[in-house]
Amino acid sequence: MQDCFEQVVLSKNEYLLTEGKICRHLYFLEQGALRGFYNLDGKEITYWFGFEKDFVTSFHSFITQQPAVENIQLLEGSILWSISKDTLASLFDQYHEIERLVRIVYEKYYIRLEERFVNAQFKTASERYENLLRQTPYLLERVPLGHIASYLGISQETLSRIRSKL
């Protein structure tokens, strides 16, 4: 089964995927950090981060095989393991444990999306930042503040004001 995976080594700021391309692989992030973002009216809107032991992909593009509307960029030099959609599908037929594992990955992704939606709709910027500090304090050590502000849906100036009050 090891020969089903291919090692991918990328440098900081390289792209794993760019919008308009079809995502044909699911990746396991062994080492490093990355972010998913959209371009909206010339602005980059970061909406997720990936770190060690995360499975990452453009889930919509990977599942539907339609062009991605997002970009995935490395925040650090990274080592990933890649498996193609076709190879993964054939493994599902042979090993039901893998199918279960991928279902759990999809469930975690869905829960993360729902939490983002609830936070964006019902929490203030300060509450979102405090939540980030509680749940993922390591983000501040590994992710530029501009990306964190974008992720929280606020300007970098607003983030600076919030941080100065804490």
Side-chain angles (χ1 to χ4, degrees), residues 7-160:
Q7 188 180 55
V8 178
V9 179
L10 295 172
S11 301
K12 180 178 180 176
N13 295 325
E14 281 192 84
Y15 287 85
L16 187 62
L17 177 72
T18 54
E19 60 189 285
K21 301 250 174 25
I22 296 173
C23 186
R24 301 187 192 282
H25 293 85
L26 177 67
Y27 301 89
F28 177 77
L29 184 54
E30 178 183 333
Q31 177 185 319
L34 45 77
R35 71 179 178 124
F37 71 93
Y38 294 99
N39 284 307
L40 181 65
D41 301 326
K43 280 184 63 176
E44 294 179 356
I45 310 298
T46 298
Y47 74 101
W48 64 271
F49 298 104
F51 298 96
E52 288 82 8
K53 299 186 180 144
D54 281 340
F55 284 92
V56 297
T57 192
S58 171
F59 281 94
H60 186 270
S61 179
F62 182 72
I63 293 166
T64 66
Q65 291 296 281
Q66 294 178 3
V69 295
E70 67 184 304
N71 302 280
I72 302 175
Q73 181 184 34
L74 284 289
L75 297 173
E76 301 172 355
S78 298
I79 299 170
L80 304 104
W81 292 92
S82 166
I83 186 166
S84 73
K85 184 173 176 66
D86 292 340
T87 301
L88 189 60
S90 71
L91 287 178
F92 286 166
D93 294 336
Q94 296 174 44
Y95 306 99
H96 293 293
E97 306 84 39
I98 293 175
E99 193 170 29
R100 181 178 179 276
L101 172 68
V102 172
R103 178 182 50 80
I104 291 168
V105 168
Y106 287 173
E107 287 172 356
K108 286 183 178 181
Y109 177 74
Y110 174 79
I111 288 166
R112 190 166 55 180
L113 276 182
E114 192 169 297
E115 286 172 350
R116 286 248 332 122
F117 174 76
V118 168
N119 283 339
Q121 295 295 313
F122 304 111
K123 299 211 171 159
T124 66
S126 294
E127 289 171 329
R128 291 194 301 270
Y129 180 70
E130 289 168 12
N131 205 23
L132 180 138
L133 286 178
R134 265 193 319 279
Q135 294 180 347
T136 53
Y138 55 87
L139 280 181
L140 294 175
E141 298 165 13
R142 298 180 71 183
V143 176
L145 287 178
H147 296 328
I148 291 174
S150 173
Y151 176 75
L152 294 172
I154 58 178
S155 69
Q156 205 162 342
E157 294 77 20
T158 300
L159 179 57
S160 292

